[in-house]
């Protein structure tokens, strides 16, 4: 069989990782990736359920596919990811155009499910939680990512049950992959050309395999020759244990950006959210890390207008943003999710919510602009990932994950180079590569 598959991915980095692994898997039964909708024999949509809009996007996207294939042979349509898990057979009822539903813990069954469908034409949904088998199966199939910067999932699921969040329901209980399985995959990525690995998990710093923690993994992975940078995301403040904090003292390759979602600056709201951390402990983590290295920056996630958020609670969030000066953060208006505790609560007025979101984003963007502006005329380290879309400038990232566009040559791709920043905007730094003798190379 030589069939074409079109894979579209919504949601977080874990979904991106999963889509790549799904492709590594279906390749074994003869699928080859296409970037052209019209060419697809199989259309796979990997979905996200985190906010209501994310879910609606799924049905719009299926509508789009239907239109594209109106006068063509219908492709095999597969829905994977968190909407598949949350809605399972509902999707088949609402959208008969869909053929197969496969939840995030069942990707190891994808080839058998497809073969069975092609054989018997039987629509099914696979949504059992079977994380152990999934990773055992996937670890036997080579991760073929050959990107300069690659993702590696080390942990899945969540036991924390924040009152607003669907993740514990869509990804199941917390599970940490075996240490040696991860090291093998990391080595394979580095042997394949990866220079940066981002360790992933819905609660990545809760990683615990027979007592081995995220800190142990970082120190082991950085021994691989060829790896230049290590990152991890997303962490929970309660799992920011001292061993992980101490790694920032000794690690040579862990990047100085800590993405640590706080959600709100008000203890009252954190309590209502069932976050199980408070602002005092959050600030303590911030101070400890800054003491170790003042170059460490923080980024975060914020939920605005959570039920019960008063003007004072909102001001507390603004104050925290002012104190910590987060860079590169995400902020969203609270979206009620079916099945979660908070879905029963009364939501805030829409206009007021929007007004608060705008104020928060203004404050976050101001910090980001100022940070970027402060780098003008400075020389920074950039890991070069490739050319930008129109092939005119090299694209890379700073240690703090900010995009950098600069003049340079092909031979810099995959290297960490020094770039002199000449100008900046909110999201990007612009500059020119400098060689070791401080001369321009372009
Ligand atoms: N495990 C991480 C977050 C994973 S979900 C943590 O504990 O922080 C990613 C982000 O989506 C969350 O940080 C939160 O800001 C946002 N989010 C989750 N549920 C949401 C909801 N119901 N409405 C709006 N934003 C939500
Ligand atoms: Fe969701 Fe993160 Fe809370 Fe888990 S810890 S329930 S993933 S927000
Ligand atoms: Fe979305 Fe599932 Fe990730 S809900 S954010 S794709 S864990």
């Amino acid at each position: 069989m030589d069939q074409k598959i079109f894979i579209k991915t919504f949601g977080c980095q874990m979904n991106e990782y999963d889509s790549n692994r799904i492709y590594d898997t279906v390749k074994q039964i003869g699928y080859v990736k296409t970037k052209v909708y019209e060419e697809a024999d199989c259309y796979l949509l990997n979905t996200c359920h985190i906010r209501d809009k994310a879910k609606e996007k799924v049905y719009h996207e299926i509508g789009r596919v239907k239109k594209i294939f109106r006068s063509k042979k219908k492709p095999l349509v597969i829905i994977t990811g968190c909407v598949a898990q949350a809605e399972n057979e509902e999707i088949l009822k609402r959208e008969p155009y869909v053929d197969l539903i496969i939840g995030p813990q069942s990707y190891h069954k994808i080839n058998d499910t497809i073969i069975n469908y092609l054989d018997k034409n039987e629509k099914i949904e696979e949504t059992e939680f079977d994380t152990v088998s999934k990773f055992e199966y996937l670890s036997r199939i080579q991760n073929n990512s050959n990107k300069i910067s690659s993702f590696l999932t080390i942990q899945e699921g969540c036991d924390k049950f924040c009152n607003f969040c669907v993740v514990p329901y869509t990804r199941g209980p917390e599970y940490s992959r075996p240490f040696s399985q991860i090291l093998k995959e990391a080595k394979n990525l580095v042997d394949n050309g990866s220079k940066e690995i981002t360790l992933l998990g819905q609660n990545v710093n809760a990683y615990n395999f027979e007592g081995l923690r995220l800190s142990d993994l970082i120190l082991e992975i950085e021994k691989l020759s060829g790896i230049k940078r290590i990152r991890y995301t997303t962490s929970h403040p309660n799992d920011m244990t001292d061993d992980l904090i101490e790694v920032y003292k000794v690690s040579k390759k862990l990047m100085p950006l800590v993405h640590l979602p706080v959600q709100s600056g008000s203890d009252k709201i954190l309590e209502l959210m069932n976050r199980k951390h408070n602002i005092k402990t959050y600030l303590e983590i911030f101070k400890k890390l800054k003491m170790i290295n003042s170059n460490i920056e923080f980024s975060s996630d914020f939920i605005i207008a959570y039920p019960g958020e008063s003007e004072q609670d909102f001001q507390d969030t603004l104050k925290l943003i002012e104190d910590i000066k987060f860079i590169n953060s995400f902020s969203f208006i609270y979206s009620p999710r079916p099945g979660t505790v908070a879905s029963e609560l009364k939501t805030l007025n829409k206009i007021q919510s929007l007004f608060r979101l705008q104020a928060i984003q203004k404050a976050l963007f101001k910090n980001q602009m100022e940070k970027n502006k402060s780098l003008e005329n400075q020389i920074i380290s950039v890991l070069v990932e490739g050319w930008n879309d129109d092939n005119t400038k090299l694209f890379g990232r700073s240690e703090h994950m900010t995009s950098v566009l600069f003049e340079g040559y092909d031979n810099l791709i995959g290297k960490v180079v020094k770039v002199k920043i000449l100008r900046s905007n909110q999201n990007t730094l612009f500059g020119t590569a400098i060689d070791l003798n401080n001369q321009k190379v372009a």
Side-chain angles (χ1 to χ4, degrees):
M1 177 165 83
D2 193 8
Q3 298 268 297
K4 295 219 163 77
I5 184 163
F6 182 103
I7 302 180
K8 179 137 187 162
T9 310
F10 293 146
C12 61
Q13 292 115 321
M14 300 201 56
N15 260 13
E16 259 185 65
Y17 172 84
D18 286 345
S19 289
N20 288 333
R21 302 301 281 134
I22 289 172
Y23 181 52
D24 290 335
T25 308
V26 296
K27 261 202 295 207
Q28 298 198 319
I29 54 166
Y31 279 103
V32 178
K33 215 188 252 180
T34 175
K35 288 184 175 161
V36 184
Y37 275 95
E38 286 82 351
E39 281 183 2
D41 300 293
C42 175
Y43 172 84
L44 187 144
L45 182 57
N46 197 5
T47 61
C48 171
H49 200 238
I50 203 81
R51 284 169 289 272
D52 197 50
K53 266 202 189 128
K55 191 191 86 187
E56 281 313 309
K57 255 167 82 176
V58 171
Y59 290 102
H60 284 149
E61 175 63 18
I62 300 171
R64 185 168 165 205
V65 173
K66 262 171 146 173
K67 249 193 212 155
I68 294 172
F69 285 90
R70 202 163 28 204
S71 55
K72 292 185 161 46
K73 182 171 173 278
K74 178 189 174 307
L76 167 65
V77 176
I78 307 177
I79 307 295
T80 59
C82 292
V83 178
Q85 188 66 43
E87 308 244 306
N88 46 62
E89 69 261 32
E90 281 305 306
I91 305 178
L92 295 177
K93 277 190 209 139
R94 178 168 161 184
E95 190 43 272
Y97 198 72
V98 173
D99 300 307
L100 296 173
I101 307 285
I102 305 175
Q105 312 306 336
S106 302
Y107 295 151
H108 53 299
K109 297 185 190 152
I110 196 159
N111 285 353
D112 286 347
T113 314
I114 292 175
I115 290 167
N116 181 61
Y117 179 80
L118 296 176
D119 199 30
K120 301 196 184 125
N121 221 8
E122 190 188 346
K123 293 197 174 199
I124 53 166
E125 48 104 2
E126 284 284 359
T127 48
E128 266 173 64
F129 288 130
D130 193 2
T131 330
V132 181
S133 315
K134 171 179 137 176
F135 281 113
E136 263 173 17
Y137 178 90
L138 287 180
S139 65
R140 290 197 294 271
I141 296 173
Q142 184 157 327
N143 181 336
N144 277 322
S145 168
N146 58 357
K147 289 196 181 140
I148 303 287
S149 175
S150 296
F151 293 137
L152 202 179
T153 293
I154 65 165
Q155 180 279 336
E156 275 223 62
C158 179
D159 294 337
K160 296 201 168 58
F161 289 91
C162 299
N163 286 341
F164 52 81
C165 184
V166 290
V167 170
Y169 309 98
T170 61
R171 295 276 174 166
E174 247 169 55
Y175 167 78
S176 296
R177 289 179 67 187
F179 201 76
S180 58
Q181 199 184 79
I182 297 167
L183 285 184
K184 199 168 149 229
E185 190 168 329
K187 180 168 184 324
N188 176 48
L189 286 172
V190 175
D191 289 347
N192 246 4
S194 292
K195 307 291 178 196
E196 174 176 88
I197 292 182
T198 304
L199 303 172
L200 299 180
Q202 272 91 20
N203 269 281
V204 73
N205 56 345
Y207 179 84
N208 189 337
F209 180 77
E210 296 174 355
L212 292 165
R213 304 298 312 266
L214 176 60
S215 54
D216 300 302
L217 257 182
I218 292 168
L219 292 175
E220 218 37 58
I221 291 176
E222 77 172 17
K223 288 184 192 155
L224 294 171
S225 79
I227 190 154
K228 296 190 177 354
R229 291 180 166 187
I230 301 174
R231 303 181 187 275
Y232 62 89
T233 197
T234 292
S235 358
H236 190 283
N238 279 6
D239 294 312
M240 213 64 210
T241 45
D242 282 339
D243 58 309
L244 185 53
I245 292 176
E246 292 290 309
V247 167
Y248 285 86
K249 277 190 191 159
V250 288
S251 170
K252 307 250 176 327
K253 297 182 180 168
L254 183 57
M255 288 296 102
L257 174 70
V258 182
H259 183 70
L260 194 60
V262 66
Q263 315 300 353
S264 168
S266 151
D267 281 345
K268 181 193 103 190
I269 295 298
L270 292 178
E271 175 107 39
L272 289 175
M273 287 176 166
N274 191 31
R275 280 293 286 179
K276 305 187 188 86
H277 64 83
N278 58 31
I279 295 304
K280 186 167 166 273
T281 52
Y282 193 92
L283 286 171
E284 274 166 17
I285 298 167
F286 172 74
K287 280 182 204 142
K288 277 187 194 167
L289 284 164
K290 279 283 191 192
M291 286 272 281
I292 289 173
N293 176 1
S294 59
N295 186 34
I296 292 176
E297 299 285 359
F298 275 61
S299 62
S300 197
D301 295 348
F302 296 89
I303 294 182
I304 310 305
Y306 188 74
E309 184 186 83
S310 67
E311 180 60 28
Q312 185 55 52
D313 299 320
F314 166 67
Q315 291 299 332
D316 289 347
T317 304
L318 279 175
K319 164 98 176 41
L320 186 74
I321 292 172
E322 193 49 46
D323 289 347
I324 297 211
K325 303 220 176 308
F326 295 99
I327 60 169
N328 302 331
S329 294
F330 300 97
S331 49
F332 294 97
I333 293 178
Y334 164 70
S335 165
R337 310 306 295 122
T340 60
V341 172
S343 65
E344 308 288 319
L345 305 174
K346 190 173 177 301
T347 52
L348 267 64
N349 167 294
K350 267 200 179 140
I351 303 210
Q352 190 188 25
S353 307
L354 210 58
F355 176 79
R356 287 185 181 172
L357 179 72
Q358 280 167 354
I360 290 284
Q361 293 192 333
K362 199 171 152 204
L364 290 169
F365 294 160
K366 180 172 157 276
N367 287 346
Q368 213 170 309
M369 293 272 266
E370 282 175 6
K371 171 77 191 166
N372 288 352
K373 195 101 199 135
S374 75
L375 295 171
E376 289 181 8
N377 296 316
Q378 306 277 331
I379 294 172
I380 64 165
S381 294
V382 176
L383 173 61
V384 190
E385 294 186 24
W387 291 96
N388 66 345
D389 286 344
D390 57 8
N391 283 323
T392 53
K393 295 236 166 23
L394 284 173
F395 169 83
R397 287 192 185 270
S398 72
E399 292 188 334
H400 296 118
M401 277 285 279
T402 310
S403 303
V404 186
L405 287 175
F406 61 103
E407 314 277 341
Y409 298 112
D410 258 341
N411 63 354
L412 300 181
I413 294 172
K415 296 195 174 127
V416 175
V417 299
K418 297 285 176 204
V419 174
K420 178 160 187 191
I421 302 306
L422 302 173
R423 58 191 182 85
S424 67
N425 63 26
Q426 186 187 304
N427 296 316
T428 314
L429 301 166
F430 301 89
T432 190
I434 300 284
D435 76 12
L436 289 176
N437 301 319
N438 230 5
Q439 299 296 306
K440 279 188 181 184
V441 295

